[in-house]
């Protein structure tokens, strides 16, 4: 939505201002905002957190077969006590 407003403002100023000074100002503002966007590294932190989460998921998936049998045996041993109310 903002891009359309900036584009319409630039076109409108181009038609009204014969020396195009307003258009140059709008273009410089857009260039500065784009440059700021390119220099922003906040997304890099999010990617690092995603990589950490992915490594943890891989580790958990690798550990599941090792944990599954002992956990299943333990739960099967306590199941009759739960069913009998003890």
């Amino acid at each position: 939505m903002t891009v359309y407003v900036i584009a319409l403002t630039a076109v409108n100023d181009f038609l009204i201002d014969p020396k195009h000074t307003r258009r140059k100002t709008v273009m410089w503002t857009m260039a500065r905002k784009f440059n700021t966007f390119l220099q922003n590294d906040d997304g890099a932190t999010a990617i690092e957190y995603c990589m950490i989460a992915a490594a943890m998921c891989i580790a958990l998936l690798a550990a599941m077969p090792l944990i599954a049998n002992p956990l299943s045996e333990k739960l099967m041993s306590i199941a009759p006590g739960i069913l009998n109310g003890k």
Side-chain angles (χ1 to χ4, degrees):
M1 184 87 133
T2 305
V3 175
Y4 295 119
V5 172
I6 291 172
L8 291 176
T9 303
V11 169
N12 190 25
D13 290 340
F14 177 77
L15 296 175
I16 294 172
D17 187 9
K19 294 184 180 181
H20 312 299
T21 56
R22 176 72 178 144
R23 184 177 75 154
K24 290 178 184 176
T25 304
V26 170
M27 295 302 288
W28 277 109
T29 303
M30 289 173 56
R32 278 195 306 264
K33 287 183 180 183
F34 185 69
N35 192 21
T36 303
F37 172 75
L38 290 178
Q39 292 177 354
N40 190 353
D41 62 350
D42 289 340
T45 304
I47 292 172
E48 290 169 359
Y49 284 132
C50 288
M51 291 175 67
I52 291 169
M56 290 174 62
C57 288
I58 291 170
L60 286 172
L61 288 174
M64 285 295 174
L66 301 174
I67 298 171
N69 288 335
L71 182 61
S72 178
E73 291 172 3
K74 184 66 173 176
L75 291 174
M76 293 301 280
S77 69
I78 63 171
I82 294 173
L83 292 175
N84 293 332
K86 294 182 182 179

